[in-house]
Amino acid sequence: MSEILEIGKKAKAAVPQLSNMGSEKKNQALEVVAKMLIKHAQDILDANAFDIENARKNSMKEGLIDRLLLTEDRIQGMADGLRKVKGLEDPIGEVLSMKQRPNGLTIGKKRVPLGVVGIIYEARPNVTSDAFSLCFKTGNVVILKGGSDAINSNTAIVKCIRGALDSIGIQPDMIQLIEDTSRETAAEFMKMNEYVDVLIPRGGSGLIQAVVQNATVPVIETGTGNCHIYVDESADFNMALNIIFNAKTQRIGVCNACESLVIDESIIDEFMPLVKEKLETKKVEIRGDERALKAVPSIIQATDEDWGTEYLDYIISVKTVKNIDEAIAHINKYNTKHSEAIITKNYDNAQKFLNEIDAAAVYVNASTRFTDGEEFGFGAEIGISTQKLHARGPMGLEALTSIKYIIYGNGQIR
Amino acid sequence: MSEILEIGKKAKAAVPQLSNMGSEKKNQALEVVAKMLIKHAQDILDANAFDIENARKNSMKEGLIDRLLLTEDRIQGMADGLRKVKGLEDPIGEVLSMKQRPNGLTIGKKRVPLGVVGIIYEARPNVTSDAFSLCFKTGNVVILKGGSDAINSNTAIVKCIRGALDSIGIQPDMIQLIEDTSRETAAEFMKMNEYVDVLIPRGGSGLIQAVVQNATVPVIETGTGNCHIYVDESADFNMALNIIFNAKTQRIGVCNACESLVIDESIIDEFMPLVKEKLETKKVEIRGDERALKAVPSIIQATDEDWGTEYLDYIISVKTVKNIDEAIAHINKYNTKHSEAIITKNYDNAQKFLNEIDAAAVYVNASTRFTDGEEFGFGAEIGISTQKLHARGPMGLEALTSIKYIIYGNGQIR
C-alpha cells in the first residue's frame, strides 16, 4: 500500500474518537500541545535551521525565507494561537433547529465535524499548528501536505503535536504529515475521496489552481484577491486617499490588499494627482489607462493584462469609468470574487454597489484589508474562501463543520 | 467557439438580471411558465412521443420508459410543481446577521444566489421544469444537461419555458439546454469553472461518480443510498416489522429505501422468521449472513459484495451483529452516508446511534423513507446531498444559495 493511502486509512480510523470528543478534552489537548511546542522549541528551531540552510543554498528570495524562518517568538506565537483557539466556543454538537412534523417526527439539524480535512500549503511552518488547532477544535482529523522547503520544520512540529496528544491518551493520528513531497503523492492525495472529506489549499494562486484542477475530493478554493476600490464622483477625497493608501500599502503581500483603482471620469483630473502624491510616499508604481494618463502623464500606461493581475507588490492599476454601471461591470469582469470597496457619499450608489458586486466581501467607505477572520470577529480563520459553495469569505470554525439530521420517531412509516 | 462555451457565456451574462430580481417578478414568471406548459402541452407530448418511440426501438426497459413518459397529467404535475415553488418563501436577500465591530464597521451576512447552476440528469423530463423552478426562484441561472433519451422532450419543455420568460421581458437565457448530448461536451461542461458555480448531478450512481471524477467545477454529490435498519435487542418487533416493510417495499427504486438489515444476535432466531414472513408478502429476496441463515435456512446466503450493494429492487441483505458497536461499525463501513435507522426502546442505544452513525439523516424508530425535502418540510427539493460540504441531506431552496458579506464603514482603515 502506498504511504499516502496508509495515511488516509489511519485518518479515517481516528475519526470516531475525535468526532465524539467533548470540548473539555479537546481544550485540554490544545493546552498540552501549546506547552509541548514551547518545551520542544529548540528541536523545532534546529529543524528549521536545516530548512533555512537548504533554502539559502537554493537561492530562495529573502521574502520567502522570512516566511519560512522560525524564531523563539514565532514559536511562542504558535502556542498563543493554540490557546486562542482553545478559548473559542466549540461549534460541534449544537442543534441549530429542531422541529416537529405533522406526523409527529421530530427533526433536528445538528452541527457535526466534516471528518477528515486535508490542508495543502507552501512554506509557512506556522500553518502546521494553526491548521491543526482549528481542525482539532472542530473535531476534524487533519492531513497536512506542506511544501518541501519546510519539510524539516513541519516534521518537527507534527512530531511534537503527536507526542502531546499521545501523552494524554488521544490517538496521535488526529494529525498526520505527508512527508513525501512529490507531485505524484500530491496527485494521489487529491483523489482520495474515500478518506478525505475536503481539501483546503493555502498559498499562491498556482498552488490553489493546481488543487482545483486536479482534485476529485471537494475543495474550498481560497485566496487570490484582485481587489478594487471604486471612487465615485461624490467621494470624500481625503477618506478615499486614506483608504487607498491603507489598502494598497499597509501590507502588500496579502490577498485583501487593493490591486486596482476604478475612478469616475468626472473627478479623475482633480483626484489622480492626489493619488499619485499619496502613493509616491511609498514608491507605489501606478499603471493607468489613457484617461488616467491624461490626468497625470508621469504614470505608466496600463495594458489589458494589468486589469486581471494580483500584483502583491507596490504596484496599482487605475481604470477610468463613465459611471457606476461601468465600474461594476469592470470589477465583476476582472475581480477574483474576494473584496471590493466603493468610496461614496451617494446612498443609491452605495446600495447598488453592495447589491451588484459579486464578491465575498463588499465594502462601503472602508479598506478591503478588513476581510479577515479576526477582523470579522471569528477569533481565527483557516483561510478566505473565494468560492460560493459551503463557505464564502473569511472561514472561522463553523466553516470546518457540516450538519446531520437527527430524527426522533415512534414508529412512523410513509 | 464551441456551443457549450457559448452557453456558458450567455448564462454568465444573464446572471445580473436574475440575481437582483425581486420575488414578485420571479413569482410572476413561474406562474406564466406554468400556464405556458399547459397551453403547449400537446407540443411537449408530441416531442415526448418521439423519445418514447426511439426508446422502444432501442429496447429500453419498461421501468425506464415509464420514467421517460409524459402524459397530460404529468404535465399538469409539472405546472403544479412550478406553482408550489412560486408559493415558497424566497430566501434571497435575507440578512442572516448584522453586527457592529469595535471599530464601528457594520458587517452583515446576506443570502445571495450561487450564480450559474449546472444540472446533469438522465431520462426524467420532469426534472427539466423542477430544476428550473428551484434555480429560478433562488435567483440562479440554470444550464441543463439531460440524457439523450429525453432530448426531444427536454427541448420542447425548455423552448416553452424560454418563450414564457421572453413574453414578460425576462432574458430567456435564464434557462439553457445543452442539446449536444455527447460525452465530450459533457466533459467540457464539467470544467467550465469560469462560467458555472456548481454542478448538481441527478441520477444513478454511474452518472454521479462520472461527474465527481471529472468535474473541476464544485459538485454537490447526490443520491445513492445504501440505507440500513438496525434492530437492537430491545426493539418492539411489531414496530420494527412495519418500518422494515415500509422502508424496503413502499417504493423500491428510490435512494432512501432500505437495502440492508442489521439484527442483534440475541433476537435473530426469534425475529428473522417474522421478517421472512412479512417480506414474503411482497416476494422480497433475503440474503443473509451465516447466522441469519441458521435462523431461517430458506433464505439466500449473502456474499461480501451484498453489504455494499444498493439493490433498488425487491432484495434485502441481513447482517447479524453481537452488539450496537458492531452494528455502528458495520453501517459506517458500508453505508453511503444517506439515511440510517435504529429500532430500539433503549435510550442509550438511541443516543449512541444518533451520535456515532455518519450519515445525512439518522433515525430512531422511523422509516428511512422520510429523507425527502417535502417530508422534512422544505416544500421542494433539488436532490439529496450525500456529501458533507455546503449541503447535507435533502436540499431545499437554501441549498441553492450562498452568502456575501456587506460592510458599512465611514472611513475605517487598518
Side-chain angles (χ1 to χ4, degrees):
Chain A
M1 196 188 309
S2 69
E3 180 210 348
I4 179 71
L5 197 62
E6 188 67 38
I7 286 175
K9 289 197 170 181
K10 282 183 185 167
K12 201 81 183 167
V15 163
Q17 188 189 21
L18 187 50
S19 59
N20 289 297
M21 194 179 286
S23 304
E24 268 183 23
K25 183 78 180 177
K26 289 191 283 192
N27 289 342
Q28 183 203 351
L30 290 168
E31 180 61 39
V32 172
V33 170
K35 284 199 179 114
M36 288 290 233
L37 283 177
I38 301 297
K39 193 175 162 192
H40 293 285
Q42 197 52 53
D43 298 343
I44 296 169
L45 292 174
D46 291 348
N48 184 248
F50 271 112
D51 287 333
I52 296 291
E53 197 186 318
N54 286 331
R56 289 238 153 79
K57 271 187 205 151
N58 298 330
S59 317
M60 187 187 274
K61 282 188 195 163
E62 276 307 315
L64 292 177
I65 286 185
D66 182 60
R67 289 187 179 191
L68 179 58
L69 183 70
L70 290 176
T71 61
E72 268 188 43
D73 271 4
R74 288 183 179 184
I75 290 177
Q76 183 64 51
M78 286 159 58
D80 292 347
L82 284 154
R83 290 192 172 112
K84 188 161 193 183
V85 171
K86 174 191 161 192
L88 297 176
E89 203 180 333
D90 183 352
I92 298 302
E94 184 185 2
V95 176
L96 302 167
S97 72
M98 173 90 84
K99 282 182 187 160
Q100 194 161 20
R101 298 290 307 151
N103 61 2
L105 278 183
T106 301
I107 303 183
K109 195 173 172 180
K110 186 178 170 184
R111 209 185 274 290
V112 297
L114 289 165
V116 178
V117 176
I119 310 275
I120 301 182
Y121 56 114
E122 292 175 330
R124 290 178 186 248
N126 64 310
V127 172
T128 309
S129 68
D130 276 8
F132 161 74
S133 67
L134 294 165
C135 290
F136 187 82
K137 179 86 185 198
T138 47
N140 293 295
V141 173
V142 67
I143 301 176
L144 301 167
K145 163 99 185 62
S148 55
D149 296 321
I151 187 67
N152 292 297
S153 314
N154 289 338
T155 303
I157 295 165
V158 169
K159 187 181 164 198
C160 176
I161 296 174
R162 289 175 59 97
L165 296 177
D166 204 23
S167 77
I168 54 168
I170 296 174
Q171 168 58 258
D173 290 335
M174 300 309 167
I175 174 171
Q176 293 179 86
L177 177 72
I178 301 175
E179 296 188 11
D180 171 359
T181 57
S182 70
R183 255 169 213 278
E184 294 69 33
T185 295
E188 201 179 337
F189 181 41
M190 292 185 232
K191 293 184 194 297
M192 295 209 303
N193 296 51
E194 198 182 337
Y195 302 108
V196 185
D197 293 283
V198 58
L199 284 177
I200 305 176
R202 286 185 59 165
S205 62
L207 171 82
I208 290 161
Q209 281 314 309
V211 176
V212 168
Q213 293 303 318
N214 294 302
T216 54
V217 173
V219 174
I220 301 180
E221 196 173 339
T222 66
T224 51
N226 184 26
C227 306
H228 300 73
I229 294 175
Y230 167 50
V231 185
D232 85 357
E233 57 181 345
S234 73
D236 177 319
F237 282 6
N238 199 35
M239 182 195 282
L241 291 169
N242 282 333
I243 289 174
I244 291 167
F245 185 77
N246 178 261
K248 179 68 255 180
T249 71
Q250 194 236 354
R251 208 167 153 203
I252 56 161
V254 291
C255 56
N256 55 20
C258 176
E259 305 291 5
S260 187
L261 298 180
V262 181
I263 299 176
D264 206 90
E265 193 173 11
S266 62
I267 59 166
I268 190 98
D269 291 318
E270 195 183 348
F271 188 59
M272 260 316 284
L274 304 176
V275 170
K276 166 90 173 139
E277 187 185 284
K278 185 86 177 177
L279 292 179
E280 225 159 36
T281 63
K282 288 274 189 178
K283 300 199 171 63
V284 177
E285 178 181 313
I286 301 177
R287 302 184 185 174
D289 62 6
E290 281 190 23
R291 187 64 190 81
L293 218 66
K294 202 179 137 198
V296 180
S298 62
I299 65 172
I300 292 169
Q301 170 126 31
T303 66
D304 274 355
E305 205 189 322
D306 282 296
W307 310 131
T309 301
E310 185 191 23
Y311 302 115
L312 299 173
D313 201 349
Y314 288 99
I315 308 173
I316 197 164
S317 65
V318 179
K319 169 79 182 172
T320 314
V321 293
K322 287 204 172 11
N323 52 45
I324 187 168
D325 288 309
E326 250 191 61
I328 290 172
H330 176 81
I331 293 171
N332 280 342
K333 181 169 180 190
Y334 290 104
N335 79 350
T336 52
K337 315 302 174 203
H338 196 296
S339 301
E340 308 298 337
I342 182 174
I343 316 298
T344 186
K345 284 183 187 165
N346 180 308
Y347 174 82
D348 290 341
N349 282 0
Q351 292 304 112
K352 191 178 170 70
F353 195 84
L354 287 172
N355 285 335
E356 297 183 18
I357 287 291
D358 185 14
V362 189
Y363 293 83
V364 178
N365 296 339
S367 171
T368 53
R369 287 279 292 114
F370 287 107
T371 305
D372 172 272
E374 297 272 352
E375 294 293 336
F376 273 31
F378 302 163
E381 74 167 41
I382 189 85
I384 294 171
S385 166
T386 53
Q387 71 179 34
K388 291 185 188 170
L389 222 60
H390 185 72
R392 200 174 191 201
M395 296 188 286
L397 293 178
E398 284 183 11
L400 290 169
T401 69
S402 179
I403 61 103
K404 114 170 143 186
Y405 289 100
I406 51 174
I407 301 113
Y408 297 87
N410 49 14
Q412 281 82 353
I413 57 171
R414 270 181 90 172
Chain B
M1 197 188 308
S2 70
E3 179 210 351
I4 179 71
L5 196 62
E6 189 67 38
I7 287 175
K9 288 196 170 180
K10 283 183 184 167
K12 201 82 185 166
V15 164
Q17 188 188 20
L18 188 50
S19 60
N20 289 297
M21 193 178 285
S23 304
E24 268 183 24
K25 184 79 180 170
K26 289 191 283 191
N27 289 342
Q28 183 203 350
L30 290 169
E31 180 61 38
V32 173
V33 170
K35 283 198 180 113
M36 289 289 233
L37 282 177
I38 301 297
K39 192 174 164 194
H40 294 284
Q42 197 52 54
D43 299 343
I44 295 169
L45 291 175
D46 290 347
N48 185 246
F50 271 111
D51 287 333
I52 296 291
E53 195 186 320
N54 287 332
R56 289 239 154 78
K57 270 187 207 153
N58 298 329
S59 316
M60 187 188 274
K61 282 188 196 162
E62 277 306 315
L64 292 177
I65 285 185
D66 182 61
R67 290 187 179 192
L68 178 57
L69 182 72
L70 289 177
T71 60
E72 271 189 40
D73 272 4
R74 286 184 180 184
I75 291 178
Q76 183 63 52
M78 287 159 58
D80 292 347
L82 284 154
R83 291 192 171 111
K84 186 160 194 185
V85 171
K86 174 191 162 193
L88 296 177
E89 201 179 334
D90 183 353
I92 298 302
E94 184 185 2
V95 176
L96 302 167
S97 72
M98 173 91 85
K99 283 182 186 162
Q100 194 161 21
R101 299 289 307 153
N103 60 3
L105 278 184
T106 301
I107 302 182
K109 193 175 174 180
K110 187 180 171 183
R111 210 184 275 288
V112 297
L114 288 165
V116 178
V117 175
I119 310 275
I120 301 182
Y121 56 114
E122 292 173 334
R124 291 179 186 248
N126 64 311
V127 171
T128 309
S129 68
D130 276 7
F132 162 74
S133 67
L134 294 165
C135 290
F136 187 82
K137 178 85 185 200
T138 46
N140 293 296
V141 173
V142 67
I143 301 176
L144 300 168
K145 163 99 185 59
S148 56
D149 297 320
I151 187 68
N152 292 296
S153 314
N154 289 337
T155 303
I157 296 166
V158 169
K159 187 182 165 198
C160 176
I161 296 174
R162 289 175 58 96
L165 295 178
D166 204 23
S167 76
I168 54 167
I170 296 175
Q171 166 60 256
D173 291 335
M174 299 309 167
I175 175 170
Q176 292 180 88
L177 177 71
I178 301 174
E179 296 187 13
D180 171 0
T181 56
S182 70
R183 255 169 214 278
E184 294 68 34
T185 295
E188 202 179 337
F189 182 41
M190 292 186 232
K191 292 184 194 297
M192 295 209 303
N193 296 53
E194 199 182 337
Y195 302 107
V196 185
D197 292 285
V198 59
L199 285 177
I200 305 177
R202 285 185 58 164
S205 62
L207 172 82
I208 291 161
Q209 282 313 309
V211 176
V212 168
Q213 293 302 318
N214 294 303
T216 54
V217 173
V219 174
I220 301 181
E221 196 173 339
T222 65
T224 51
N226 184 25
C227 306
H228 300 73
I229 293 175
Y230 168 49
V231 184
D232 84 356
E233 57 180 346
S234 73
D236 176 321
F237 281 7
N238 200 34
M239 180 193 285
L241 290 168
N242 282 334
I243 289 174
I244 291 167
F245 185 77
N246 178 260
K248 178 68 257 178
T249 71
Q250 194 238 352
R251 208 167 153 204
I252 55 161
V254 290
C255 57
N256 55 20
C258 176
E259 304 291 5
S260 188
L261 299 180
V262 180
I263 300 177
D264 206 90
E265 193 174 10
S266 62
I267 57 166
I268 191 96
D269 290 316
E270 195 183 349
F271 189 59
M272 260 316 284
L274 304 176
V275 170
K276 166 90 173 139
E277 187 185 284
K278 185 87 177 176
L279 292 179
E280 225 158 36
T281 62
K282 288 274 189 180
K283 298 199 172 63
V284 176
E285 177 182 314
I286 301 176
R287 301 186 187 173
D289 61 5
E290 283 191 21
R291 188 62 191 80
L293 218 67
K294 202 179 138 198
V296 179
S298 62
I299 65 173
I300 292 170
Q301 170 125 30
T303 66
D304 273 356
E305 206 188 322
D306 281 295
W307 311 131
T309 302
E310 185 191 21
Y311 302 115
L312 300 172
D313 202 347
Y314 288 99
I315 307 173
I316 198 165
S317 65
V318 178
K319 169 78 183 172
T320 315
V321 293
K322 287 206 171 12
N323 52 44
I324 188 169
D325 288 309
E326 249 191 61
I328 290 172
H330 175 82
I331 293 170
N332 280 342
K333 181 169 179 189
Y334 290 104
N335 79 350
T336 53
K337 315 301 174 204
H338 196 295
S339 301
E340 309 297 338
I342 182 174
I343 316 299
T344 186
K345 286 182 185 165
N346 180 309
Y347 175 83
D348 290 340
N349 282 0
Q351 292 304 112
K352 190 178 171 73
F353 195 83
L354 287 171
N355 285 335
E356 297 183 16
I357 287 290
D358 185 15
V362 188
Y363 292 82
V364 178
N365 295 340
S367 171
T368 53
R369 287 280 292 114
F370 288 106
T371 304
D372 172 272
E374 296 273 352
E375 295 293 336
F376 274 32
F378 302 163
E381 74 167 40
I382 188 86
I384 293 171
S385 164
T386 53
Q387 70 180 34
K388 293 185 186 171
L389 222 59
H390 186 71
R392 199 175 192 199
M395 295 188 287
L397 293 178
E398 284 184 11
L400 291 169
T401 68
S402 180
I403 61 103
K404 117 171 141 184
Y405 288 99
I406 52 174
I407 301 113
Y408 298 88
N410 48 16
Q412 282 82 352
I413 56 170
R414 268 181 90 172

